[in-house]
Amino acid sequence: MDLKRIAKATAKTLSSYLTYEAMRTVVDQLQETNPPLAHWLAGFSPTGKLQDGEIYLEALLQANQELAFRIMTVRQHLAEEIADFLPEMTRSGIQESNMRLRCQHLERIVNFSATTPDPSESANRSIEHNIDRATEPVDPETVDTSIDSDSQVSGGDR
């Protein structure tokens, strides 16, 4: 596993995502102050173009330098604001997600097993049912105390 390569790719992906968020922030701001420019920027910025934030900003610098600088400023501000708590949020988010996914998978496996009858399970349930019935309290008024001749046990046979 090449951790250095993974870290670089993660940083590039995060940078591109922050570029996207900065663009959305600037579009929202422009909606209030300059709607035609907001419309132009939204049209210039389809999500496919934003897959690589650096290439997007290079193209925007050619088309509208002022907006490109504004987006770079907002992107830098976002990076500075989230840099402190992002590593812990990422770690805990991944841990929680993994735990949730494992639990869901286990539940699916258990439910699948529960729908497939297992003969030993049926026998165990029958034994448990009989044990439960044997340990239930008995109401003396409902017990049949009559003994027929076939069920009598002689004391001398033991």
Side-chain angles (χ1 to χ4, degrees):
M1 183 173 4
D2 185 2
L3 294 178
K4 190 172 186 176
R5 181 194 57 78
I6 293 170
K8 283 183 178 181
T10 302
K12 182 176 179 168
T13 301
L14 180 59
S15 176
S16 292
Y17 181 72
L18 291 176
T19 303
Y20 166 74
E21 286 296 333
M23 180 276 302
R24 286 186 50 196
T25 301
V26 171
V27 167
D28 289 345
Q29 293 168 348
L30 289 172
Q31 291 286 1
E32 310 251 337
T33 60
N34 189 343
L37 190 55
H39 182 70
W40 180 86
L41 181 57
F44 180 84
S45 308
T47 54
K49 242 183 186 180
L50 282 163
Q51 291 296 317
D52 186 326
E54 300 307 306
I55 292 173
Y56 167 79
L57 286 171
E58 288 171 4
L60 186 57
L61 278 167
Q62 298 299 316
N64 189 322
Q65 177 183 324
E66 183 181 329
L67 283 178
F69 286 153
R70 186 169 175 179
I71 288 173
M72 286 189 275
T73 300
V74 172
R75 176 176 75 161
Q76 183 175 347
H77 175 74
L78 290 172
E80 289 168 357
E81 290 297 315
I82 67 168
D84 291 337
F85 53 88
L86 186 61
E88 182 55 35
M89 283 182 67
T90 303
R91 273 188 225 100
S92 64
I94 288 173
Q95 288 172 343
E96 289 171 13
S97 175
N98 286 350
M99 182 66 77
R100 180 182 48 78
L101 291 169
R102 286 179 176 132
C103 287
Q104 287 173 349
H105 182 68
L106 182 60
E107 286 174 0
R108 263 186 295 212
I109 290 172
V110 170
N111 286 337
F112 178 73
S113 297
T115 60
T116 308
D118 181 2
S120 64
E121 247 335 280
S122 177
N124 287 343
R125 272 191 239 121
S126 176
I127 291 169
E128 289 172 4
H129 175 71
N130 290 338
I131 291 172
D132 289 344
R133 288 193 63 212
T135 59
E136 290 176 355
V138 178
D139 183 4
E141 294 179 15
T142 61
V143 174
D144 182 14
T145 56
S146 64
I147 300 177
D148 63 12
S149 60
D150 292 335
S151 62
Q152 288 183 350
V153 178
S154 66
D157 292 341
R158 285 190 183 173

